[in-house]
Amino acid sequence: DNALDNVGLIIFDEFHERSSSVDLALGISIERQLLDNNLKILIMSATLNVQQLQSYLPANNHIEVKTPTFPLEIIRSKKTQRLQIDTQFANELVESIKQIIAKTDKDILIFLPGLSEINFISRQISNKFSQYQFEILHSSIRLEDQRRILTDLTRKKIILATNIAESSITIPSVGAVIDCGLIKKPVYEKKIGFKRLETIRSSLFSAQQRAGRAARTGPGVCFQMWHDLDERSMPEQIKPEITESPLLEESLTLLSIGISNPDQFSW
């Protein structure tokens, strides 16, 4: 109850990711703000549907920060996007890497949907690019290994990552990105009452974020592994997780912090 007594500002960064827990935390913060006029809330994102959020929030100010950006070259595949990570995908990825190497000598960041796909691709292609050190960046990787990947400049690297590298961290040595255009999303399975992970096309917002990783510290290049026509099937933004949840976990969380009637919560 007093955890927020000495807190004056709560910052929600990368809000466009719209995880259920972050949406829940925002609702709790807004209800707390109604009781404490001194509490401020700051919501930040580089890609966000601002109008939708403004209609939900109480009185608010919209601040748009514009900064100069480094040049970014985006290359699209001439082939249709593959929706599964298999041997054919690995062969197409090899060709994409060769195109990127011809354009830059900086580290390469490759976005893949999950750890199993990362391990598969590592086995398939690492022996084809012996001049590069292959690294894995995933939430399960030890913190000291994550730090080493961020700071080691002794050898050129190809970094296989999930969307942990989309917005959470910046790798200064990266000057090139290859985006497969796929993510893993938790989906509630009514028959078994649990969530499962489903591989789907990423959003246009996500593609914008990923491409920008190539030009954080200097000029960059991004290879997007989909055809121009594939973008018609890519959503502008991924559906918020909470809109597809049965709200059981969320309701139990509210009950655990003393909100006894979830129906009256500021969803």
Side-chain angles (χ1 to χ4, degrees):
D1 290 342
N2 9 344
L4 295 176
D5 285 353
N6 296 316
V7 174
L9 172 67
I10 300 176
I11 299 175
F12 291 84
D13 196 12
E14 309 296 353
F15 189 76
H16 62 275
E17 293 177 1
R18 296 301 301 275
S19 71
S20 183
S21 56
V22 170
D23 277 5
L24 201 64
L26 178 61
I28 293 167
S29 301
I30 287 174
E31 295 199 349
R32 173 70 186 216
Q33 190 181 49
L34 295 174
L35 302 174
D36 180 1
N37 290 328
N38 295 319
L39 181 65
K40 290 183 172 61
I41 297 172
L42 176 61
I43 301 171
M44 302 197 298
S45 171
T47 52
L48 187 64
N49 185 333
V50 178
Q51 291 74 25
Q52 188 180 36
L53 186 61
Q54 283 182 308
S55 66
Y56 168 73
L57 295 170
N60 60 81
N61 295 317
H62 175 207
I63 302 168
E64 189 169 352
V65 180
K66 292 187 177 180
T67 59
T69 56
F70 292 105
L72 174 64
E73 180 185 2
I74 294 182
I75 306 168
R76 290 265 170 80
S77 174
K78 293 179 179 159
K79 297 179 180 178
T80 304
Q81 182 184 23
R82 284 199 67 75
L83 300 179
Q84 56 185 11
I85 310 299
D86 54 13
T87 304
Q88 186 175 335
F89 174 92
N91 293 336
E92 291 180 10
L93 180 58
V94 167
E95 294 306 311
S96 303
I97 294 173
K98 288 177 180 177
Q99 287 192 52
I100 288 288
I101 291 175
K103 289 181 170 289
T104 181
D105 59 354
K106 293 205 169 179
D107 289 354
I108 302 169
L109 175 62
I110 301 176
F111 283 101
L112 295 165
L115 186 57
S116 60
E117 291 84 355
I118 284 174
N119 289 330
F120 172 76
I121 289 298
S122 180
R123 291 192 301 268
Q124 290 284 314
I125 72 171
S126 57
N127 62 340
K128 294 178 173 62
F129 300 97
S130 56
Q131 71 273 38
Y132 285 88
Q133 176 72 37
F134 272 74
E135 300 283 5
I136 291 174
L137 196 54
H138 182 265
S139 56
S140 65
I141 304 301
R142 294 184 310 166
L143 189 57
E144 48 267 41
D145 288 332
Q146 293 185 32
R147 287 178 177 147
R148 177 183 54 76
I149 293 169
L150 293 177
T151 57
D152 182 14
L153 302 176
T154 58
R155 192 175 178 190
K156 290 198 293 185
K157 298 186 291 295
I158 290 179
I159 303 161
L160 307 176
T162 56
N163 54 7
I164 185 177
E166 183 176 309
S167 54
S168 304
I169 54 178
T170 295
I171 307 170
S173 59
V174 164
V177 162
I178 298 177
D179 183 5
C180 72
L182 299 172
I183 61 167
K184 279 192 173 175
K185 182 185 177 188
V187 175
Y188 182 73
E189 188 63 68
K190 293 179 182 177
K191 289 182 180 178
I192 58 174
F194 290 99
K195 289 179 181 177
R196 61 176 173 81
L197 288 175
E198 183 177 296
T199 302
I200 62 171
R201 282 188 166 106
S202 59
S203 69
L204 297 176
F205 278 4
S206 178
Q208 183 181 338
Q209 285 272 1
R210 292 178 174 190
R213 297 288 111 182
R216 295 285 285 180
T217 59
V221 57
C222 174
F223 190 100
Q224 295 176 331
M225 296 182 69
W226 60 85
H227 193 275
D228 287 339
L229 295 175
D230 287 318
E231 286 210 344
R232 298 178 184 178
S233 302
M234 295 172 73
E236 183 181 26
Q237 57 185 344
I238 292 296
K239 264 187 168 183
E241 184 183 357
I242 206 164
T243 63
E244 299 182 331
S245 168
L247 302 182
L248 175 60
E249 289 180 36
E250 293 84 354
S251 297
L252 290 173
T253 300
L254 294 177
L255 289 168
S256 72
I257 62 172
I259 298 175
S260 57
N261 190 347
D263 286 340
Q264 295 178 359
F265 179 66
S266 301
W267 295 102

